[in-house]
Amino acid sequence: MNNKTKILLALLFVIINSSIYFLIQKTTQFIIKNELQENQNILHTHYEILLESQTHISYAIYKSIMRNTNTIELLAKSYHATQDIQSKNRNTLKEELKEQYKTAKKQGVLQLHIVNKDTISFLRMHKPNKFGDDLTEIRPDFKYTNETKKALKVFTQGRVAHGFRNVFPIFDKNNIHIGAIEISFSSDRFEWYLNNISKIHTHFLINKNIFDVKAWERKDLVVKYKVSAENKNFMLSFLYFKEDQCIDRNILKKNHVKKEIALNMIHDKSFNVFAKDAEEVIVASFLPVKNMQNKTVAWIVTYKHSPILHSVFLVSFILQIVVFLLSLIIIFLLKEEILSKKKIQRQKEKAEIQTQKIEKKDKELQKQYDLFNEVLNSTNNILFITDFKNVLFSNEKFKNLLKIEKRKKYATQDGTFIMHCVYKENCPTAPTCKKNFNILDLFIVVDGFLHKELLQENESFVSLIKRTEEKNRIVSMMNSDCEAKAFTIDITPLKNAKECLVSLSDITEIKEDLVVVHKKAYIDGLTQVYNRNKFDELFEEEFKRSKRYKEPFALAIIDIDKFKNFNDTYGHLLGDEVLILMAQTLNASVRETDVFARWGGEEFVVLFKNTSLQAALEVSLKLKDKIEANEHKTAGRITASFGLTAYKDGDTQQSIFKRCDDALYLAKKNGRNRVESV
């Protein structure tokens, strides 16, 4: 072999190895980029879901307080009142809000705070003995809402705690601004959810500079916070995990990783880093949390072991060694060189397919976002003059709603209401074109709305309106497209006449929004059965009723046997399918009078109304058998254990659930797939 050939072979060897190394690095970087982006997307999605959930919860609490308590009246009266009257009003309001605040805390609410329009603290439900301090310079969120009269949601740092605050303006019945209310959630709630529900190791990094020095040195905060391993300028909370999980054995403490984290934090944008050693690869996702001044004061950090990246690095290392050895053989064997090229080509095609899949997925996600739009309806009221038999005058909104023929009068002398007959043909449940038809026939007979069947003997519709609370003055009508519409109704009698001016304001969308809010508050999102909040409400009602009228009821807690095995073996998606199948089986089997709900995790609960322990035992045995008979196509046979008890004289709600838990424990102890009663 001459020198020229040796040089060519050496060049070929170098070119082959360099090319393969470059390809491996590119492929590895591509996979790393997608893995990091996926982790960032998961963190961002969970963050947005939790923020949206807190927004809905706080708005619902705010609306409930405004409607169901005397907050507006008491706050308004206290503005110019003496200190004694203010104290009396404050204590009255505190008692009114006690139960709502207790319920709100169960939903993760940390603070409920009311200030007047001058940003003077009126009532802290979390610290009722502290009031009267001016928060104008301390609480910019309150200051903003009082100045702009707009709601605000923002992450902010208090004197000893940090969290997500929702601040709403308060208006009196004349729509005059009188103050603001804060409903806030601690950042600990985010950590709890992501750590315990989503099973994602998560913690908050709080900027050390926002801690008040004296407050930070208090014993409760020294125990709770410590300088984070990621960045010395941030503090780390140890509420849901031990210190060695985030500091002592943290491979992210490596200097080059810490430098990368510190450099990225300067830009105040989401980012990911990863660190690896011989045993594992950890991906850390960082999401900035900003305050009202759009300044990053905290970071949400998630840690995740990445088997994918660990495998990529291992395969990359092995592949480089293999390619090195193969390239030596390729120099002597042309056949091996061709096979090696084919292998490289296959790798390229696989990478292109993977790229196409990712691009397709991105397009589908973009398409879903583009489908969202708002439907705007006119807010102009429907107006007409009527004696509640004939319509004497109306605006175009009324005519368009019912497709009334354009004539000088809407009724003939014999009282016939003139409408298109196509209205009847398209909507069989709508009023017909008949004699003696009056305007009250347009109001649909349905619960929750005013209609003619609610009239007492010889009572007029005007009288019905007057004896109905203003918030309940609602009617429902069919439009010409056979769609039920909801309206608030306001009636003004005309002077020296029997006729009235009727004003209808379309609130169909508001009613639908209330249904959605109610569903989110009381329906379990996965199984579509009642959630724990709704069950607690119904159980409390039944407990009081049974205690008062001495009627029996029974309670059963149902736990899916070895549910963790389903998740560990088949994954959480199949675990969700098992929960849905369980809920469908039980919901279809219990009586309509009974209350069935998801209690939490893999536990469900059934309230057997007006039922003895023996009768409930017989029903529970049947339910157990139906669960066992309803096999999952992948997981196979599903069984459940029942803990059963019944109401006894002298019981409290806690004692009933304690006996139920004891019975469930006994069922588990005695072999599962059985019913035990205590």
Side-chain angles (χ1 to χ4, degrees), residues 528-638:
Q528 295 302 304
V529 300
Y530 283 152
N531 61 16
R532 185 166 183 170
N533 290 338
K534 183 63 175 178
F535 182 84
D536 287 342
E537 178 179 310
L538 295 176
F539 177 79
E540 184 175 7
E541 293 176 1
E542 180 63 18
F543 180 84
K544 292 178 179 178
R545 188 189 66 82
S546 180
K547 189 174 182 179
R548 180 176 181 181
Y549 297 107
K550 306 300 182 182
E551 293 181 358
F553 73 88
L555 179 69
I557 298 179
I558 306 165
D559 185 89
I560 301 176
D561 292 334
K562 299 182 179 179
F563 178 77
K564 184 176 182 296
N565 291 347
F566 293 126
N567 285 335
D568 293 344
T569 304
Y570 303 104
H572 289 280
L573 290 178
L574 187 136
D576 289 348
E577 291 179 7
V578 171
L579 290 172
I580 293 171
L581 179 61
M582 177 76 166
Q584 291 173 344
T585 301
L586 290 172
N587 199 35
S589 302
V590 298
R591 300 175 303 180
E592 290 185 359
T593 56
D594 296 332
V595 179
F596 171 65
R598 185 180 179 191
W599 189 244
E602 67 271 21
E603 287 187 344
F604 297 85
V605 62
V606 179
L607 173 61
F608 300 99
K609 295 184 177 181
N610 199 20
T611 304
S612 65
L613 181 61
Q614 182 59 35
L617 178 60
E618 294 174 1
V619 174
S620 296
L621 289 171
K622 293 179 181 179
L623 294 177
K624 177 187 74 68
D625 293 339
K626 286 187 177 182
I627 294 170
E628 187 175 8
N630 197 2
E631 290 193 358
H632 187 274
K633 60 183 180 180
T634 302
R637 189 169 76 107
I638 301 170

Side-chain angles (χ1 to χ4, degrees), residues 112-141:
L112 197 158
H113 190 180
I114 300 173
V115 300
N116 66 16
K117 62 182 180 181
D118 295 331
T119 320
I120 304 299
S121 175
F122 181 70
L123 174 62
R124 292 177 170 92
M125 286 301 294
H126 58 286
K127 195 180 291 184
N129 293 328
K130 183 175 178 58
F131 54 84
D133 45 327
D134 188 348
L135 302 177
T136 304
E137 302 302 325
I138 300 175
R139 291 289 301 275
D141 47 346

